[in-house]
Amino acid sequence: MTNRKPLTRTRLIGFAAMAVCALGYVGAGLALLAGKVDYLDMTHAALAAASLALIGEIGLWVGAACLGLTLFKKRKAMLNRLLRRPVAAEV
């Protein structure tokens, strides 16, 4: 029997953003490789790599923020239960 956590919207966005991060960085590496082997002009390869690396960086920050937010909410709820604080209704 497995304990699967529910895939909330925030977690789904976080994992999708991490996939975009991986695709962006892999694409940047492949663009630089294409420039090194003279498949593309190195100027165009560097521009493509820079834009793909920027997409990867955005994905990294969005994914880290979303997944970190889910951890924060979980820890805060656990602390509230432990200290018997009233649970505030989320809007």
Side-chain angles (χ1 to χ4, degrees):
M1 191 164 198
T2 60
N3 275 339
R4 295 193 121 185
K5 293 180 183 176
L7 193 60
T8 61
R9 186 177 6 170
T10 307
R11 286 176 56 107
L12 182 65
I13 291 170
F15 286 128
M18 285 303 198
V20 169
C21 169
L23 288 175
Y25 284 139
V26 167
L30 290 176
L32 287 176
L33 183 67
K36 280 291 215 184
V37 296
D38 288 335
Y39 186 75
L40 288 175
D41 184 33
M42 195 58 188
T43 304
H44 293 131
L47 286 173
S51 62
L52 287 169
L54 180 65
I55 290 170
E57 190 71 21
I58 291 169
L60 176 68
W61 281 94
V62 170
C66 287
L67 294 174
L69 182 63
T70 60
L71 287 175
F72 173 74
K73 285 182 180 178
K74 181 181 172 185
R75 298 292 183 255
K76 184 177 179 193
M78 186 175 60
L79 190 61
N80 285 341
R81 280 192 309 269
L82 180 68
L83 298 176
R84 295 186 176 132
R85 293 180 186 163
V87 178
E90 290 188 22
V91 177

